[in-house]
């Protein structure tokens, strides 16, 4: 049975070829801004928007760009969308924009985005390129949010702190706290904590993949009921 190509794209973006856990791309912003859940979510959404728009544009112009100038053209396309996202965040999410700082414009140099434009969008149709960008962006954002949540919870004893920076004053009640007596581990919100946390996430993914592959191997080697080879005289 042939696997649905669109389902395969989603599976690759979220799990099999996750840019943060498998390709290990975009680690600079990943490790730098994930000291809280909201910071990770903000950068994750911005990255996803840029990925979708740049992938779609590259797919549309792929037959118009000469091979020798394709990379500079792709960078210009990505930079244009990053500038639009940066200006939008500055206008509507100014406080969050100030916290994320230089890592918003640095999306231009994110190898995950340039890599998808070159390796996939420049060779495939608009629909598949848009889905690839969306899946890869969501996969990257999920890692940002998960790592940010773990570091915030262990280091600060809170979850969804400063949610109002993204969702407005009504979101101030979203903050979950472990109590005033909780003494967080400072290491978790420092740069070494980011490396350790990412290492645990990669190890967890590898462990899950190993178990899934082991089950597939066992299933493949088990005889099927009704197999003629099982008949006895």
């Amino acid at each position: 049975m042939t696997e649905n190509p669109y389902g395969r794209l989603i599976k690759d973006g979220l799990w099999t070829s996750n840019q943060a856990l498998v390709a290990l791309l975009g680690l600079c912003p990943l490790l730098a801004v994930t000291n809280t859940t909201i910071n990770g979510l903000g950068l994750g959404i911005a990255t996803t928007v840029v990925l979708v728009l740049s992938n779609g544009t590259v797919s549309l112009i792929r037959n118009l760009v000469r091979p020798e100038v394709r990379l500079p053209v792709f960078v210009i396309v990505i930079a244009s969308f990053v500038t639009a996202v940066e200006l939008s965040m500055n206008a509507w999410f100014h406080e969050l924009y100030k916290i994320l700082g230089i890592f918003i414009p640095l999306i231009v140099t994110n190898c995950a985005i340039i890599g998808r434009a070159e390796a996939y969008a420049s060779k495939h149709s608009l629909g598949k390129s848009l889905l690839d960008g969306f899946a890869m962006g969501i996969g990257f954002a999920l890692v940002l949010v998960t790592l940010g949540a773990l570091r915030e919870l262990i280091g600060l004893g809170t979850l969804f702190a400063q949610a109002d920076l993204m969702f407005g004053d009504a979101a101030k009640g979203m903050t979950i706290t472990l109590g005033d007596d909780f003494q967080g581990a400072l290491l978790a919100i420092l740069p070494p904590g980011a490396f350790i946390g990412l290492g645990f996430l990669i190890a967890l993914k590898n462990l899950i993949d190993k178990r899934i592959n082991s089950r597939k191997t066992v299933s493949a080697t088990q005889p099927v009921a009704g197999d003629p080879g099982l008949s006895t005289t």
Side-chain angles (χ1 to χ4, degrees), residues 15-27:
W15 188 260
T16 309
S17 302
N18 188 290
Q19 297 297 282
L21 299 181
V22 179
L24 298 181
L25 298 176
L27 294 187

Side-chain angles (χ1 to χ4, degrees), residues 142-218:
L142 286 175
V143 177
L144 282 166
V145 172
T146 302
L147 185 56
L150 290 174
R151 293 178 65 193
E152 180 184 353
L153 194 63
I154 297 172
L156 303 174
T158 61
L159 200 59
F160 301 114
Q162 296 182 313
D164 55 295
L165 296 181
M166 179 172 291
F167 303 109
D169 293 337
K172 289 183 177 180
M174 289 178 57
T175 303
I176 301 172
T177 178
L178 298 180
D180 297 334
D181 296 332
F182 178 80
Q183 294 183 349
L186 180 62
L187 178 64
I189 57 176
L190 294 176
F195 282 98
I196 295 172
L198 180 61
F200 276 116
L201 291 180
I202 294 174
L204 178 61
K205 182 189 182 301
N206 291 340
L207 179 61
I208 294 173
D209 285 340
K210 183 177 180 180
R211 291 189 175 182
I212 291 175
N213 291 332
S214 297
R215 290 179 180 177
K216 288 181 178 179
T217 302
V218 172

